[in-house]
Amino acid sequence: MWETGVSRGGNGSAGRAGGRGPAVVAGAPAVPAQACDLVTVPARQGLEAVDILRLRDDVGPVLHDGACDTLGFLVPAGTADGWDVPGSACTQTSGRGIALGALCGEGEGAPLEPPVTGTGWLVPPEGAGAAATDPAVLRAALGEAARTIEAVDRCQ
Protein backbone atom coordinates (compact mmCIF):
# COMPACT_ATOMS: atom_id res chain seq x y z
CA MET A 1 0.00 0.00 0.00
CA TRP A 2 1.38 3.39 -0.97
CA GLU A 3 1.72 6.27 1.43
CA THR A 4 -0.60 9.07 0.39
CA GLY A 5 1.04 11.71 2.52
CA VAL A 6 4.54 12.39 3.68
CA SER A 7 6.37 11.48 6.83
CA ARG A 8 8.86 13.71 8.53
CA GLY A 9 11.77 12.75 10.70
CA GLY A 10 11.15 13.41 14.35
CA ASN A 11 14.27 15.15 15.62
CA GLY A 12 16.14 15.98 12.42
CA SER A 13 19.28 14.21 13.61
CA ALA A 14 19.80 12.00 10.58
CA GLY A 15 21.79 13.07 7.58
CA ARG A 16 23.44 16.23 8.81
CA ALA A 17 26.81 16.99 7.32
CA GLY A 18 29.30 15.53 9.72
CA GLY A 19 26.45 13.65 11.38
CA ARG A 20 26.79 10.81 13.82
CA GLY A 21 26.36 8.07 11.25
CA PRO A 22 23.42 6.22 9.79
CA ALA A 23 19.93 6.29 11.18
CA VAL A 24 18.99 2.92 12.61
CA VAL A 25 15.54 1.43 12.86
CA ALA A 26 14.74 0.50 16.46
CA GLY A 27 15.35 -3.18 17.04
CA ALA A 28 17.16 -3.64 13.72
CA PRO A 29 20.64 -5.09 13.77
CA ALA A 30 23.44 -2.61 13.18
CA VAL A 31 24.37 -2.66 9.50
CA PRO A 32 26.71 -0.50 7.46
CA ALA A 33 25.19 2.46 5.63
CA GLN A 34 24.26 1.89 2.02
CA ALA A 35 26.04 4.29 -0.28
CA CYS A 36 23.41 6.03 -2.39
CA ASP A 37 23.42 9.07 -4.62
CA LEU A 38 20.53 11.54 -4.73
CA VAL A 39 18.90 12.78 -7.95
CA THR A 40 17.03 16.04 -7.37
CA VAL A 41 14.41 17.40 -9.77
CA PRO A 42 11.75 20.13 -9.72
CA ALA A 43 8.70 18.98 -7.76
CA ARG A 44 6.26 19.03 -10.69
CA GLN A 45 8.39 16.77 -12.86
CA GLY A 46 9.34 14.62 -9.88
CA LEU A 47 5.72 14.04 -8.87
CA GLU A 48 4.86 12.95 -12.42
CA ALA A 49 7.87 10.62 -12.41
CA VAL A 50 6.86 9.14 -9.03
CA ASP A 51 3.40 8.35 -10.43
CA ILE A 52 4.96 6.70 -13.50
CA LEU A 53 7.37 4.67 -11.38
CA ARG A 54 4.64 3.63 -8.93
CA LEU A 55 2.60 2.19 -11.79
CA ARG A 56 5.58 -0.03 -12.62
CA ASP A 57 6.57 -0.81 -8.99
CA ASP A 58 10.02 0.62 -9.70
CA VAL A 59 10.20 3.54 -7.27
CA GLY A 60 12.68 3.60 -4.42
CA PRO A 61 12.58 6.04 -1.50
CA VAL A 62 11.83 9.64 -2.49
CA LEU A 63 12.44 12.79 -0.43
CA HIS A 64 10.84 16.21 -0.73
CA ASP A 65 12.30 19.42 0.60
CA GLY A 66 10.57 21.55 3.21
CA ALA A 67 9.36 24.11 0.66
CA CYS A 68 8.19 21.31 -1.67
CA ASP A 69 10.22 22.80 -4.54
CA THR A 70 12.21 19.66 -5.29
CA LEU A 71 12.07 15.91 -4.97
CA GLY A 72 15.07 13.67 -4.38
CA PHE A 73 15.24 10.08 -5.64
CA LEU A 74 17.67 7.72 -3.91
CA VAL A 75 19.68 5.93 -6.59
CA PRO A 76 22.61 3.49 -6.37
CA ALA A 77 26.06 4.87 -5.59
CA GLY A 78 28.03 5.80 -8.68
CA THR A 79 25.05 7.25 -10.51
CA ALA A 80 26.37 10.80 -10.07
CA ASP A 81 29.46 9.96 -12.14
CA GLY A 82 27.44 9.65 -15.35
CA TRP A 83 24.22 11.54 -14.65
CA ASP A 84 23.48 14.08 -17.40
CA VAL A 85 19.71 14.60 -17.42
CA PRO A 86 18.89 18.28 -18.11
CA GLY A 87 16.93 19.99 -15.35
CA SER A 88 18.17 17.62 -12.66
CA ALA A 89 21.23 17.12 -10.50
CA CYS A 90 22.78 14.02 -8.99
CA THR A 91 24.81 14.30 -5.79
CA GLN A 92 26.93 11.72 -4.01
CA THR A 93 25.74 11.17 -0.44
CA SER A 94 28.33 8.60 0.68
CA GLY A 95 25.53 6.68 2.41
CA ARG A 96 25.09 9.23 5.23
CA GLY A 97 21.98 8.52 7.25
CA ILE A 98 20.76 5.50 5.29
CA ALA A 99 20.81 2.09 6.99
CA LEU A 100 20.99 -0.75 4.48
CA GLY A 101 18.87 -3.01 6.67
CA ALA A 102 16.08 -0.45 6.88
CA LEU A 103 16.01 0.08 3.12
CA CYS A 104 15.91 -3.66 2.49
CA GLY A 105 13.10 -4.22 4.97
CA GLU A 106 15.23 -5.99 7.57
CA GLY A 107 14.14 -5.40 11.14
CA GLU A 108 10.88 -3.88 12.22
CA GLY A 109 10.31 -0.78 14.27
CA ALA A 110 10.06 2.96 13.96
CA PRO A 111 10.02 4.52 10.49
CA LEU A 112 13.42 5.57 9.15
CA GLU A 113 14.10 9.29 9.45
CA PRO A 114 14.88 11.21 6.25
CA PRO A 115 18.65 11.30 5.68
CA VAL A 116 18.73 15.03 4.88
CA THR A 117 17.75 17.71 7.41
CA GLY A 118 14.76 19.79 6.27
CA THR A 119 13.24 17.03 4.17
CA GLY A 120 10.43 14.53 4.53
CA TRP A 121 9.62 11.25 2.85
CA LEU A 122 7.23 11.36 -0.10
CA VAL A 123 7.86 7.63 -0.59
CA PRO A 124 9.39 6.28 2.64
CA PRO A 125 11.74 3.28 2.49
CA GLU A 126 9.13 1.03 4.07
CA GLY A 127 6.62 1.96 1.31
CA ALA A 128 9.03 1.83 -1.61
CA GLY A 129 9.06 -0.89 -4.24
CA ALA A 130 12.87 -0.97 -4.30
CA ALA A 131 15.82 -0.06 -2.05
CA ALA A 132 16.87 2.57 -4.61
CA THR A 133 15.45 3.68 -7.95
CA ASP A 134 17.25 2.25 -10.97
CA PRO A 135 18.93 5.20 -12.76
CA ALA A 136 17.97 4.02 -16.25
CA VAL A 137 14.35 3.58 -15.20
CA LEU A 138 14.39 6.99 -13.49
CA ARG A 139 15.88 8.62 -16.58
CA ALA A 140 13.06 7.18 -18.73
CA ALA A 141 10.38 8.21 -16.20
CA LEU A 142 11.75 11.77 -15.99
CA GLY A 143 11.68 11.99 -19.79
CA GLU A 144 8.11 10.72 -19.90
CA ALA A 145 7.14 13.13 -17.13
CA ALA A 146 8.69 16.08 -19.02
CA ARG A 147 6.77 15.15 -22.18
CA THR A 148 3.53 14.85 -20.19
CA ILE A 149 4.02 18.26 -18.58
CA GLU A 150 4.84 19.81 -21.95
CA ALA A 151 1.66 18.34 -23.47
CA VAL A 152 -0.49 19.57 -20.57
CA ASP A 153 1.01 23.06 -20.77
CA ARG A 154 0.30 23.23 -24.53
CA CYS A 155 -3.36 22.40 -23.89
CA GLN A 156 -3.93 25.21 -21.40
Side-chain angles (χ1 to χ4, degrees):
M1 179 172 176
W2 290 105
E3 298 284 330
T4 57
V6 296
S7 61
R8 293 206 177 269
N11 61 16
S13 62
R16 284 185 299 218
R20 293 175 293 208
V24 178
V25 174
V31 293
Q34 174 179 342
C36 290
D37 291 347
L38 184 70
V39 172
T40 54
V41 298
R44 185 175 181 201
Q45 184 181 15
L47 290 170
E48 287 288 339
V50 166
D51 285 345
I52 292 164
L53 293 167
R54 280 181 169 172
L55 290 172
R56 299 173 186 149
D57 290 328
D58 287 335
V59 69
V62 180
L63 294 164
H64 70 88
D65 65 353
C68 296
D69 292 331
T70 61
L71 294 186
F73 293 83
L74 293 178
V75 293
T79 301
D81 295 336
W83 190 259
D84 62 353
V85 176
S88 68
C90 189
T91 308
Q92 295 176 343
T93 65
S94 303
R96 289 186 304 262
I98 303 167
L100 178 62
L103 290 177
C104 294
E106 298 170 12
E108 299 296 326
L112 185 65
E113 287 187 29
V116 180
T117 300
T119 65
W121 290 115
L122 179 67
V123 179
E126 59 272 11
T133 303
D134 179 282
V137 173
L138 178 57
R139 181 184 307 269
L142 289 173
E144 188 175 337
R147 291 187 298 278
T148 300
I149 291 168
E150 183 180 327
V152 168
D153 289 349
R154 277 196 313 260
C155 293
Q156 293 181 350

